[in-house]
Amino acid sequence: MNRSYTILISLIVALGGFLLGFDSAVISGAIKGITSYFEMTDAMLGFAVGCVIFGAMAGNILAGPLADRFGRKRVLIIVAALFAISATWSALATGYTEFIIARILGGIGIGGAILIAPIYIAEIAPPHLRGSLVSFNQLNIVIGISVAYFSNYFFVNSGEDSWRWMLGVEAVPAVVYFLSLFTVPRSPRWLILKLNKIQLARKILMKIGGEEYAEITVAEIQRGQSRQEKAGRFTDLTKKKYTTIMIIALGIAFFQQITGINAIFYYAPTIFEQAGGSTDSSFLQAIVVGLTNLVFTLVAIWLIDRLGRKPLLLIGTSLMTVALLMATLAFKNATYHFGDTSLRKVGDYQVYKALGDFEGKTFDNQAALFTEVRKKLNDQQFLDFKRNEVTNFIQVNATLVLVAILLYVAAFAISLGPVMWTLISEIFPSKIKGIAISVVGFFNSLVSFSVTQVFPWELTNLGPTLTFAIYALFSLLAMFFVYRFVIETKGKTLEEVEELLIRS
């Protein structure tokens, strides 16, 4: 078994995950800059952040069928080019519409990378390494997120156009990914099932695992091929024999996003500012979040082929629920105090003057605060207060918030983060794989888009207490879903997984 070669090509393909993670998280540092430069409302900001996922939905729908027709490798090369174009264009944009279009292009790249990279790795990986190797994609996602946080911190004080540097630097790894993809082979399973190029596939498999491994794997693929009907269609996904697979896939895709992970990553600095931190300290705390994600993704890679997929999901969703309840409790016990120091932090003199009547007063909750402040300010001033000034007055257990967020991220990193994509790459039969994974990826992106679109509104209007309570409820539901529906695929070939789900 040539482990080093298999690991190398898996790491190269998984660089798409790095770009995905970087692109997803880098916007968190640019929020203040783009909000000011493009004069965004809450709705415009929500769309500017979430439009990447809107583009990812288009990428999801296109990627699977295109990868089935033209091959996994060619689609990934196109994805790399889209990342490079998007990063450069976003950094140079001078208008809101232009900026949105550039970000959507990057989203299309994300939609392709997040689906096709795990499929490719699953198709070249030996069964006993598949979970770990597919998780390389998630590892690279979290490395990308961590690097984005470091990059944002590096550029945050580089002037009023710092957001351009934050977004534009992504073009460098995108070009590296584009060039590196020309060195990896095509998927041997795709070569056999779509082009019937058995000798070429055997040659690739021999390089991965030796002659005996190649012969066994080719025989298994051909046995699966002999059972395949004509190419799958969207309507096939509704057939009764695929019901269990679709419930598992759509359920895990739903809960991976509805529990709020992308909201946490996109708005990490904002959350920590809501907990009373300064801009610089909130960026540093966001870096800690990224590093926590990285460390525990490495833990997941070590455990996924030892402990199994389902146990990791159960442990992770349980801890996510606990963490989100901790954050809910921290913000529920927060108070809002109008002292001389906090009042002087208000940037608008008219607002400062209007709020001066509250000096020395403390509010027990955000609802009471907003009720009284609303009486003193006009509509625009009140909106600016909720978005930018409320953090000056909050008194909260910031340590508890930080611990809660880190526990949440660690729990996600050992469970829903890597395990979802591993399961999705394993459970679909070849006949429907391209179509099914596009549908599931689209659904996952749709949920993610919805979460990130409403999150700024939730923080402003519902407050952090109710926002985190909602995510805690969904995490609890995720735990029950995993217990009831998810099966274990550890150590099984892709053909054995198909037998387990459809023919047994």
Side-chain angles (χ1 to χ4, degrees), residues 145-202:
I145 291 169
S146 299
V147 171
Y149 287 147
F150 275 109
S151 176
N152 286 348
Y153 184 69
F154 179 78
F155 288 118
V156 68
N157 293 317
S158 60
E160 63 181 68
D161 284 338
S162 60
W163 63 271
R164 296 188 185 276
W165 289 100
M166 292 177 184
L167 299 177
V169 72
E170 183 188 348
V172 176
V175 171
V176 172
Y177 185 45
F178 178 82
L179 297 174
S180 299
L181 283 169
F182 288 96
T183 68
V184 304
R186 287 183 285 180
S187 163
R189 275 185 169 79
W190 181 82
L191 287 170
I192 293 174
L193 295 174
K194 300 299 180 181
L195 301 183
N196 201 33
K197 292 189 175 182
I198 297 171
Q199 291 306 317
L200 179 56
R202 182 180 284 113

Tab-separated table of all heavy atoms in Angstrom, residues 145-202:
chain	number	residue	atom	x	y	z
A	145	ILE	N	-9.957	28.506	7.417
A	145	ILE	CA	-10.636	29.416	8.333
A	145	ILE	C	-9.629	30.056	9.286
A	145	ILE	O	-9.634	31.284	9.505
A	145	ILE	CB	-11.730	28.667	9.116
A	145	ILE	CG1	-12.884	28.275	8.184
A	145	ILE	CG2	-12.256	29.519	10.274
A	145	ILE	CD1	-13.870	27.313	8.806
A	146	SER	N	-8.734	29.238	9.844
A	146	SER	CA	-7.733	29.753	10.787
A	146	SER	C	-6.802	30.751	10.115
A	146	SER	O	-6.505	31.817	10.675
A	146	SER	CB	-6.921	28.590	11.374
A	146	SER	OG	-7.741	27.695	12.071
A	147	VAL	N	-6.339	30.415	8.920
A	147	VAL	CA	-5.442	31.320	8.192
A	147	VAL	C	-6.162	32.624	7.869
A	147	VAL	O	-5.566	33.711	7.928
A	147	VAL	CB	-4.911	30.647	6.909
A	147	VAL	CG1	-4.166	31.647	6.029
A	147	VAL	CG2	-3.992	29.484	7.266
A	148	ALA	N	-7.463	32.542	7.537
A	148	ALA	CA	-8.233	33.758	7.257
A	148	ALA	C	-8.277	34.667	8.474
A	148	ALA	O	-8.138	35.896	8.354
A	148	ALA	CB	-9.644	33.385	6.811
A	149	TYR	N	-8.464	34.076	9.661
A	149	TYR	CA	-8.492	34.889	10.876
A	149	TYR	C	-7.132	35.547	11.134
A	149	TYR	O	-7.056	36.718	11.506
A	149	TYR	CB	-8.898	34.033	12.080
A	149	TYR	CG	-10.362	33.651	12.107
A	149	TYR	CD1	-10.777	32.429	12.645
A	149	TYR	CD2	-11.339	34.503	11.617
A	149	TYR	CE1	-12.108	32.075	12.689
A	149	TYR	CE2	-12.674	34.163	11.649
A	149	TYR	CZ	-13.065	32.953	12.187
A	149	TYR	OH	-14.380	32.610	12.227
A	150	PHE	N	-6.047	34.794	10.947
A	150	PHE	CA	-4.713	35.370	11.100
A	150	PHE	C	-4.483	36.478	10.073
A	150	PHE	O	-3.940	37.539	10.384
A	150	PHE	CB	-3.643	34.286	10.934
A	150	PHE	CG	-3.349	33.523	12.193
A	150	PHE	CD1	-3.742	32.199	12.324
A	150	PHE	CD2	-2.679	34.117	13.245
A	150	PHE	CE1	-3.471	31.487	13.480
A	150	PHE	CE2	-2.397	33.415	14.415
A	150	PHE	CZ	-2.798	32.089	14.529
A	151	SER	N	-4.893	36.204	8.832
A	151	SER	CA	-4.729	37.180	7.762
A	151	SER	C	-5.506	38.461	8.065
A	151	SER	O	-4.992	39.571	7.889
A	151	SER	CB	-5.202	36.565	6.433
A	151	SER	OG	-5.147	37.506	5.386
A	152	ASN	N	-6.746	38.299	8.530
A	152	ASN	CA	-7.553	39.471	8.876
A	152	ASN	C	-6.900	40.293	9.992
A	152	ASN	O	-6.879	41.530	9.940
A	152	ASN	CB	-8.951	39.034	9.325
A	152	ASN	CG	-9.815	38.588	8.166
A	152	ASN	OD1	-9.476	38.800	7.005
A	152	ASN	ND2	-10.930	37.958	8.470
A	153	TYR	N	-6.365	39.589	10.985
A	153	TYR	CA	-5.710	40.290	12.091
A	153	TYR	C	-4.467	41.046	11.607
A	153	TYR	O	-4.182	42.156	12.054
A	153	TYR	CB	-5.330	39.298	13.185
A	153	TYR	CG	-4.735	39.945	14.414
A	153	TYR	CD1	-5.510	40.737	15.245
A	153	TYR	CD2	-3.390	39.767	14.719
A	153	TYR	CE1	-4.970	41.345	16.367
A	153	TYR	CE2	-2.836	40.371	15.844
A	153	TYR	CZ	-3.627	41.156	16.665
A	153	TYR	OH	-3.080	41.752	17.772
A	154	PHE	N	-3.768	40.444	10.647
A	154	PHE	CA	-2.571	41.066	10.093
A	154	PHE	C	-2.919	42.347	9.322
A	154	PHE	O	-2.206	43.350	9.400
A	154	PHE	CB	-1.866	40.078	9.169
A	154	PHE	CG	-0.623	40.631	8.515
A	154	PHE	CD1	0.569	40.728	9.213
A	154	PHE	CD2	-0.654	41.062	7.197
A	154	PHE	CE1	1.713	41.237	8.607
A	154	PHE	CE2	0.476	41.571	6.580
A	154	PHE	CZ	1.666	41.661	7.298
A	155	PHE	N	-4.049	42.314	8.595
A	155	PHE	CA	-4.410	43.448	7.742
A	155	PHE	C	-5.347	44.459	8.405
A	155	PHE	O	-5.607	45.517	7.826
A	155	PHE	CB	-5.080	42.949	6.449
A	155	PHE	CG	-4.143	42.290	5.479
A	155	PHE	CD1	-4.317	40.957	5.128
A	155	PHE	CD2	-3.089	42.992	4.908
A	155	PHE	CE1	-3.467	40.337	4.228
A	155	PHE	CE2	-2.228	42.385	4.005
A	155	PHE	CZ	-2.409	41.047	3.665
A	156	VAL	N	-5.874	44.143	9.619
A	156	VAL	CA	-6.946	44.956	10.190
A	156	VAL	C	-6.562	46.420	10.390
A	156	VAL	O	-7.411	47.312	10.273
A	156	VAL	CB	-7.443	44.345	11.529
A	156	VAL	CG1	-6.401	44.446	12.612
A	156	VAL	CG2	-8.760	44.979	11.956
A	157	ASN	N	-5.294	46.695	10.620
A	157	ASN	CA	-4.857	48.075	10.846
A	157	ASN	C	-4.076	48.649	9.665
A	157	ASN	O	-3.272	49.563	9.825
A	157	ASN	CB	-4.005	48.147	12.119
A	157	ASN	CG	-4.802	47.851	13.376
A	157	ASN	OD1	-5.923	48.327	13.524
A	157	ASN	ND2	-4.226	47.053	14.266
A	158	SER	N	-4.344	48.131	8.479
A	158	SER	CA	-3.584	48.566	7.299
A	158	SER	C	-4.279	49.699	6.535
A	158	SER	O	-3.960	49.947	5.375
A	158	SER	CB	-3.339	47.385	6.359
A	158	SER	OG	-4.564	46.814	5.921
A	159	GLY	N	-5.220	50.360	7.149
A	159	GLY	CA	-5.870	51.505	6.513
A	159	GLY	C	-7.328	51.240	6.201
A	159	GLY	O	-7.861	50.159	6.448
A	160	GLU	N	-7.982	52.264	5.652
A	160	GLU	CA	-9.419	52.160	5.406
A	160	GLU	C	-9.750	51.137	4.332
A	160	GLU	O	-10.891	50.666	4.248
A	160	GLU	CB	-9.988	53.518	5.029
A	160	GLU	CG	-9.439	54.103	3.724
A	160	GLU	CD	-10.029	55.470	3.420
A	160	GLU	OE1	-9.726	56.427	4.156
A	160	GLU	OE2	-10.814	55.570	2.455
A	161	ASP	N	-8.792	50.778	3.489
A	161	ASP	CA	-9.007	49.756	2.461
A	161	ASP	C	-8.459	48.398	2.880
A	161	ASP	O	-8.160	47.551	2.030
A	161	ASP	CB	-8.355	50.178	1.140
A	161	ASP	CG	-9.163	51.251	0.421
A	161	ASP	OD1	-10.375	51.360	0.706
A	161	ASP	OD2	-8.588	51.982	-0.412
A	162	SER	N	-8.337	48.174	4.184
A	162	SER	CA	-7.794	46.893	4.656
A	162	SER	C	-8.634	45.713	4.184
A	162	SER	O	-8.104	44.625	3.947
A	162	SER	CB	-7.707	46.897	6.185
A	162	SER	OG	-8.985	47.079	6.768
A	163	TRP	N	-9.931	45.932	4.007
A	163	TRP	CA	-10.807	44.839	3.564
A	163	TRP	C	-10.414	44.334	2.181
A	163	TRP	O	-10.614	43.155	1.867
A	163	TRP	CB	-12.273	45.289	3.583
A	163	TRP	CG	-12.620	46.412	2.646
A	163	TRP	CD1	-12.557	47.751	2.900
A	163	TRP	CD2	-13.090	46.284	1.297
A	163	TRP	NE1	-12.951	48.481	1.804
A	163	TRP	CE2	-13.293	47.603	0.807
A	163	TRP	CE3	-13.359	45.214	0.459
A	163	TRP	CZ2	-13.747	47.863	-0.482
A	163	TRP	CZ3	-13.827	45.456	-0.830
A	163	TRP	CH2	-14.017	46.770	-1.291
A	164	ARG	N	-9.865	45.209	1.350
A	164	ARG	CA	-9.442	44.779	0.008
A	164	ARG	C	-8.274	43.792	0.093
A	164	ARG	O	-8.235	42.795	-0.624
A	164	ARG	CB	-9.041	45.994	-0.834
A	164	ARG	CG	-10.184	46.960	-1.117
A	164	ARG	CD	-9.762	48.038	-2.111
A	164	ARG	NE	-10.797	49.037	-2.315
A	164	ARG	CZ	-11.820	48.921	-3.169
A	164	ARG	NH1	-11.918	47.825	-3.906
A	164	ARG	NH2	-12.709	49.872	-3.287
A	165	TRP	N	-7.328	44.070	0.985
A	165	TRP	CA	-6.209	43.146	1.183
A	165	TRP	C	-6.689	41.822	1.751
A	165	TRP	O	-6.228	40.747	1.346
A	165	TRP	CB	-5.166	43.776	2.109
A	165	TRP	CG	-4.424	44.902	1.474
A	165	TRP	CD1	-4.633	46.236	1.637
A	165	TRP	CD2	-3.336	44.788	0.542
A	165	TRP	NE1	-3.764	46.970	0.876
A	165	TRP	CE2	-2.942	46.098	0.191
A	165	TRP	CE3	-2.655	43.704	-0.028
A	165	TRP	CZ2	-1.914	46.364	-0.700
A	165	TRP	CZ3	-1.609	43.967	-0.909
A	165	TRP	CH2	-1.262	45.269	-1.238
A	166	MET	N	-7.631	41.905	2.715
A	166	MET	CA	-8.170	40.689	3.320
A	166	MET	C	-8.770	39.754	2.265
A	166	MET	O	-8.539	38.542	2.279
A	166	MET	CB	-9.254	41.049	4.347
A	166	MET	CG	-8.747	41.756	5.586
A	166	MET	SD	-10.121	42.227	6.687
A	166	MET	CE	-9.256	43.120	7.971
A	167	LEU	N	-9.552	40.327	1.354
A	167	LEU	CA	-10.235	39.513	0.348
A	167	LEU	C	-9.315	39.108	-0.805
A	167	LEU	O	-9.433	38.006	-1.351
A	167	LEU	CB	-11.443	40.275	-0.201
A	167	LEU	CG	-12.526	40.652	0.820
A	167	LEU	CD1	-13.629	41.462	0.153
A	167	LEU	CD2	-13.117	39.403	1.457
A	168	GLY	N	-8.389	39.982	-1.192
A	168	GLY	CA	-7.572	39.737	-2.383
A	168	GLY	C	-6.474	38.714	-2.214
A	168	GLY	O	-6.076	38.051	-3.180
A	169	VAL	N	-5.991	38.542	-0.988
A	169	VAL	CA	-4.856	37.640	-0.766
A	169	VAL	C	-5.201	36.190	-1.106
A	169	VAL	O	-4.314	35.369	-1.376
A	169	VAL	CB	-4.362	37.769	0.691
A	169	VAL	CG1	-5.344	37.127	1.671
A	169	VAL	CG2	-2.973	37.182	0.856
A	170	GLU	N	-6.490	35.860	-1.133
A	170	GLU	CA	-6.919	34.484	-1.453
A	170	GLU	C	-6.496	34.053	-2.859
A	170	GLU	O	-6.402	32.853	-3.150
A	170	GLU	CB	-8.441	34.385	-1.326
A	170	GLU	CG	-8.998	32.994	-1.565
A	170	GLU	CD	-10.514	32.980	-1.615
A	170	GLU	OE1	-11.154	33.991	-1.253
A	170	GLU	OE2	-11.071	31.941	-2.014
A	171	ALA	N	-6.238	34.995	-3.745
A	171	ALA	CA	-5.864	34.652	-5.119
A	171	ALA	C	-4.576	33.831	-5.176
A	171	ALA	O	-4.404	32.996	-6.083
A	171	ALA	CB	-5.714	35.922	-5.951
A	172	VAL	N	-3.693	34.036	-4.203
A	172	VAL	CA	-2.399	33.316	-4.219
A	172	VAL	C	-2.588	31.803	-4.042
A	172	VAL	O	-2.146	31.019	-4.889
A	172	VAL	CB	-1.446	33.889	-3.146
A	172	VAL	CG1	-0.157	33.074	-3.098
A	172	VAL	CG2	-1.147	35.351	-3.437
A	173	PRO	N	-3.243	31.331	-2.965
A	173	PRO	CA	-3.442	29.880	-2.853
A	173	PRO	C	-4.352	29.322	-3.949
A	173	PRO	O	-4.230	28.148	-4.301
A	173	PRO	CB	-4.082	29.699	-1.468
A	173	PRO	CG	-4.657	31.029	-1.125
A	173	PRO	CD	-3.750	32.031	-1.758
A	174	ALA	N	-5.239	30.145	-4.496
A	174	ALA	CA	-6.110	29.668	-5.579
A	174	ALA	C	-5.291	29.297	-6.814
A	174	ALA	O	-5.548	28.272	-7.464
A	174	ALA	CB	-7.151	30.728	-5.927
A	175	VAL	N	-4.308	30.107	-7.126
A	175	VAL	CA	-3.443	29.808	-8.283
A	175	VAL	C	-2.603	28.559	-8.011
A	175	VAL	O	-2.412	27.719	-8.894
A	175	VAL	CB	-2.540	31.025	-8.602
A	175	VAL	CG1	-1.498	30.652	-9.653
A	175	VAL	CG2	-3.383	32.193	-9.093
A	176	VAL	N	-2.105	28.414	-6.779
A	176	VAL	CA	-1.341	27.214	-6.405
A	176	VAL	C	-2.209	25.966	-6.573
A	176	VAL	O	-1.758	24.947	-7.109
A	176	VAL	CB	-0.834	27.322	-4.953
A	176	VAL	CG1	-0.220	26.005	-4.492
A	176	VAL	CG2	0.177	28.455	-4.827
A	177	TYR	N	-3.452	26.037	-6.130
A	177	TYR	CA	-4.384	24.902	-6.263
A	177	TYR	C	-4.622	24.565	-7.728
A	177	TYR	O	-4.592	23.395	-8.122
A	177	TYR	CB	-5.698	25.271	-5.576
A	177	TYR	CG	-6.727	24.164	-5.528
A	177	TYR	CD1	-6.379	22.870	-5.164
A	177	TYR	CD2	-8.066	24.427	-5.809
A	177	TYR	CE1	-7.335	21.862	-5.102
A	177	TYR	CE2	-9.030	23.433	-5.746
A	177	TYR	CZ	-8.656	22.152	-5.398
A	177	TYR	OH	-9.600	21.161	-5.339
A	178	PHE	N	-4.842	25.582	-8.534
A	178	PHE	CA	-5.088	25.392	-9.971
A	178	PHE	C	-3.942	24.615	-10.625
A	178	PHE	O	-4.161	23.652	-11.362
A	178	PHE	CB	-5.261	26.764	-10.631
A	178	PHE	CG	-5.479	26.718	-12.115
A	178	PHE	CD1	-6.734	26.477	-12.645
A	178	PHE	CD2	-4.408	26.916	-12.988
A	178	PHE	CE1	-6.937	26.440	-14.018
A	178	PHE	CE2	-4.590	26.882	-14.354
A	178	PHE	CZ	-5.856	26.643	-14.875
A	179	LEU	N	-2.719	25.021	-10.343
A	179	LEU	CA	-1.555	24.366	-10.958
A	179	LEU	C	-1.340	22.960	-10.401
A	179	LEU	O	-0.986	22.032	-11.140
A	179	LEU	CB	-0.310	25.220	-10.739
A	179	LEU	CG	-0.333	26.616	-11.397
A	179	LEU	CD1	0.893	27.420	-10.988
A	179	LEU	CD2	-0.425	26.492	-12.920
A	180	SER	N	-1.563	22.770	-9.104
A	180	SER	CA	-1.320	21.475	-8.468
A	180	SER	C	-2.264	20.391	-8.982
A	180	SER	O	-1.893	19.219	-9.055
A	180	SER	CB	-1.485	21.598	-6.944
A	180	SER	OG	-0.564	22.504	-6.406
A	181	LEU	N	-3.481	20.767	-9.345
A	181	LEU	CA	-4.466	19.774	-9.783
A	181	LEU	C	-4.053	19.046	-11.057
A	181	LEU	O	-4.516	17.923	-11.315
A	181	LEU	CB	-5.830	20.449	-9.990
A	181	LEU	CG	-6.605	20.768	-8.715
A	181	LEU	CD1	-7.803	21.656	-9.023
A	181	LEU	CD2	-7.063	19.477	-8.021
A	182	PHE	N	-3.192	19.654	-11.843
A	182	PHE	CA	-2.745	18.997	-13.074
A	182	PHE	C	-1.834	17.807	-12.782
A	182	PHE	O	-1.539	17.014	-13.678
A	182	PHE	CB	-2.034	20.006	-13.982
A	182	PHE	CG	-2.974	20.989	-14.620
A	182	PHE	CD1	-3.188	22.235	-14.053
A	182	PHE	CD2	-3.666	20.663	-15.783
A	182	PHE	CE1	-4.067	23.144	-14.632
A	182	PHE	CE2	-4.544	21.568	-16.379
A	182	PHE	CZ	-4.745	22.805	-15.801
A	183	THR	N	-1.388	17.659	-11.521
A	183	THR	CA	-0.488	16.559	-11.170
A	183	THR	C	-1.221	15.333	-10.620
A	183	THR	O	-0.595	14.297	-10.421
A	183	THR	CB	0.540	17.022	-10.117
A	183	THR	OG1	-0.130	17.292	-8.874
A	183	THR	CG2	1.267	18.275	-10.582
A	184	VAL	N	-2.539	15.427	-10.358
A	184	VAL	CA	-3.257	14.290	-9.773
A	184	VAL	C	-3.929	13.469	-10.876
A	184	VAL	O	-4.283	13.992	-11.929
A	184	VAL	CB	-4.318	14.757	-8.737
A	184	VAL	CG1	-3.679	15.604	-7.658
A	184	VAL	CG2	-5.455	15.501	-9.411
A	185	PRO	N	-4.119	12.150	-10.653
A	185	PRO	CA	-4.764	11.302	-11.657
A	185	PRO	C	-6.278	11.489	-11.634
A	185	PRO	O	-6.845	12.055	-10.698
A	185	PRO	CB	-4.395	9.886	-11.202
A	185	PRO	CG	-4.280	10.004	-9.713
A	185	PRO	CD	-3.701	11.362	-9.461
A	186	ARG	N	-6.932	10.990	-12.662
A	186	ARG	CA	-8.392	10.975	-12.665
A	186	ARG	C	-8.892	9.844	-11.764
A	186	ARG	O	-8.171	8.889	-11.491
A	186	ARG	CB	-8.921	10.808	-14.091
A	186	ARG	CG	-8.753	12.072	-14.933
A	186	ARG	CD	-9.347	11.936	-16.318
A	186	ARG	NE	-8.503	11.106	-17.189
A	186	ARG	CZ	-8.802	10.840	-18.455
A	186	ARG	NH1	-9.931	11.294	-18.988
A	186	ARG	NH2	-7.995	10.097	-19.186
A	187	SER	N	-10.131	9.964	-11.309
A	187	SER	CA	-10.713	8.958	-10.416
A	187	SER	C	-10.818	7.608	-11.124
A	187	SER	O	-11.445	7.516	-12.192
A	187	SER	CB	-12.107	9.398	-9.968
A	187	SER	OG	-12.832	8.312	-9.437
A	188	PRO	N	-10.218	6.543	-10.565
A	188	PRO	CA	-10.298	5.229	-11.228
A	188	PRO	C	-11.726	4.704	-11.321
A	188	PRO	O	-12.091	4.059	-12.317
A	188	PRO	CB	-9.422	4.336	-10.352
A	188	PRO	CG	-9.277	5.051	-9.047
A	188	PRO	CD	-9.381	6.493	-9.356
A	189	ARG	N	-12.555	4.967	-10.331
A	189	ARG	CA	-13.957	4.537	-10.402
A	189	ARG	C	-14.690	5.237	-11.526
A	189	ARG	O	-15.472	4.642	-12.250
A	189	ARG	CB	-14.666	4.783	-9.059
A	189	ARG	CG	-14.469	3.657	-8.056
A	189	ARG	CD	-15.272	3.858	-6.784
A	189	ARG	NE	-15.260	2.648	-5.963
A	189	ARG	CZ	-14.268	2.274	-5.185
A	189	ARG	NH1	-13.180	3.024	-5.118
A	189	ARG	NH2	-14.346	1.161	-4.487
A	190	TRP	N	-14.445	6.524	-11.682
A	190	TRP	CA	-15.077	7.269	-12.774
A	190	TRP	C	-14.590	6.759	-14.130
A	190	TRP	O	-15.387	6.631	-15.073
A	190	TRP	CB	-14.780	8.761	-12.626
A	190	TRP	CG	-15.425	9.598	-13.696
A	190	TRP	CD1	-16.715	10.033	-13.728
A	190	TRP	CD2	-14.811	10.083	-14.892
A	190	TRP	NE1	-16.946	10.753	-14.865
A	190	TRP	CE2	-15.786	10.808	-15.599
A	190	TRP	CE3	-13.526	9.974	-15.432
A	190	TRP	CZ2	-15.527	11.428	-16.823
A	190	TRP	CZ3	-13.266	10.591	-16.642
A	190	TRP	CH2	-14.263	11.309	-17.327
A	191	LEU	N	-13.298	6.460	-14.226
A	191	LEU	CA	-12.751	5.959	-15.492
A	191	LEU	C	-13.420	4.649	-15.911
A	191	LEU	O	-13.701	4.434	-17.096
A	191	LEU	CB	-11.235	5.759	-15.364
A	191	LEU	CG	-10.380	7.034	-15.328
A	191	LEU	CD1	-8.943	6.699	-14.955
A	191	LEU	CD2	-10.441	7.758	-16.669
A	192	ILE	N	-13.693	3.769	-14.940
A	192	ILE	CA	-14.314	2.482	-15.257
A	192	ILE	C	-15.804	2.642	-15.526
A	192	ILE	O	-16.333	2.156	-16.536
A	192	ILE	CB	-14.087	1.472	-14.117
A	192	ILE	CG1	-12.599	1.122	-14.013
A	192	ILE	CG2	-14.911	0.193	-14.354
A	192	ILE	CD1	-12.247	0.242	-12.825
A	193	LEU	N	-16.491	3.353	-14.638
A	193	LEU	CA	-17.953	3.431	-14.733
A	193	LEU	C	-18.430	4.327	-15.868
A	193	LEU	O	-19.486	4.071	-16.453
A	193	LEU	CB	-18.529	3.943	-13.406
A	193	LEU	CG	-18.320	3.026	-12.191
A	193	LEU	CD1	-18.805	3.714	-10.915
A	193	LEU	CD2	-19.055	1.698	-12.384
A	194	LYS	N	-17.672	5.352	-16.207
A	194	LYS	CA	-18.128	6.299	-17.228
A	194	LYS	C	-17.436	6.123	-18.568
A	194	LYS	O	-18.052	6.339	-19.618
A	194	LYS	CB	-17.918	7.745	-16.731
A	194	LYS	CG	-18.673	8.074	-15.447
A	194	LYS	CD	-20.180	7.933	-15.628
A	194	LYS	CE	-20.918	8.260	-14.334
A	194	LYS	NZ	-22.381	8.103	-14.470
A	195	LEU	N	-16.145	5.752	-18.556
A	195	LEU	CA	-15.396	5.641	-19.817
A	195	LEU	C	-14.972	4.224	-20.143
A	195	LEU	O	-14.453	3.970	-21.234
A	195	LEU	CB	-14.150	6.548	-19.770
A	195	LEU	CG	-14.375	8.053	-19.538
A	195	LEU	CD1	-13.040	8.789	-19.590
A	195	LEU	CD2	-15.349	8.618	-20.565
A	196	ASN	N	-15.160	3.300	-19.188
A	196	ASN	CA	-14.752	1.906	-19.356
A	196	ASN	C	-13.250	1.768	-19.647
A	196	ASN	O	-12.819	0.838	-20.333
A	196	ASN	CB	-15.567	1.230	-20.468
A	196	ASN	CG	-15.551	-0.290	-20.321
A	196	ASN	OD1	-15.508	-0.816	-19.211
A	196	ASN	ND2	-15.571	-0.984	-21.447
A	197	LYS	N	-12.451	2.669	-19.084
A	197	LYS	CA	-10.996	2.628	-19.268
A	197	LYS	C	-10.385	1.817	-18.122
A	197	LYS	O	-9.794	2.361	-17.187
A	197	LYS	CB	-10.417	4.039	-19.333
A	197	LYS	CG	-10.838	4.800	-20.594
A	197	LYS	CD	-10.070	6.104	-20.737
A	197	LYS	CE	-10.398	6.784	-22.052
A	197	LYS	NZ	-9.628	8.038	-22.259
A	198	ILE	N	-10.521	0.517	-18.227
A	198	ILE	CA	-10.140	-0.377	-17.134
A	198	ILE	C	-8.631	-0.399	-16.925
A	198	ILE	O	-8.147	-0.381	-15.784
A	198	ILE	CB	-10.680	-1.793	-17.412
A	198	ILE	CG1	-12.219	-1.759	-17.440
A	198	ILE	CG2	-10.198	-2.776	-16.343
A	198	ILE	CD1	-12.852	-3.046	-17.912
A	199	GLN	N	-7.871	-0.444	-17.998
A	199	GLN	CA	-6.414	-0.525	-17.861
A	199	GLN	C	-5.834	0.736	-17.231
A	199	GLN	O	-4.933	0.654	-16.384
A	199	GLN	CB	-5.780	-0.767	-19.244
A	199	GLN	CG	-6.075	-2.139	-19.828
A	199	GLN	CD	-5.680	-3.270	-18.867
A	199	GLN	OE1	-4.615	-3.244	-18.236
A	199	GLN	NE2	-6.565	-4.260	-18.737
A	200	LEU	N	-6.333	1.882	-17.640
A	200	LEU	CA	-5.854	3.133	-17.053
A	200	LEU	C	-6.217	3.194	-15.574
A	200	LEU	O	-5.398	3.600	-14.729
A	200	LEU	CB	-6.459	4.327	-17.801
A	200	LEU	CG	-6.065	5.719	-17.297
A	200	LEU	CD1	-4.549	5.888	-17.281
A	200	LEU	CD2	-6.725	6.801	-18.160
A	201	ALA	N	-7.441	2.782	-15.232
A	201	ALA	CA	-7.863	2.760	-13.831
A	201	ALA	C	-7.005	1.794	-13.022
A	201	ALA	O	-6.615	2.095	-11.889
A	201	ALA	CB	-9.337	2.371	-13.741
A	202	ARG	N	-6.720	0.609	-13.597
A	202	ARG	CA	-5.905	-0.377	-12.897
A	202	ARG	C	-4.501	0.185	-12.625
A	202	ARG	O	-3.925	-0.036	-11.551
A	202	ARG	CB	-5.818	-1.658	-13.727
A	202	ARG	CG	-5.007	-2.762	-13.037
A	202	ARG	CD	-4.932	-4.026	-13.872
A	202	ARG	NE	-6.197	-4.778	-13.828
A	202	ARG	CZ	-7.006	-4.940	-14.857
A	202	ARG	NH1	-6.699	-4.389	-16.039
A	202	ARG	NH2	-8.119	-5.638	-14.738
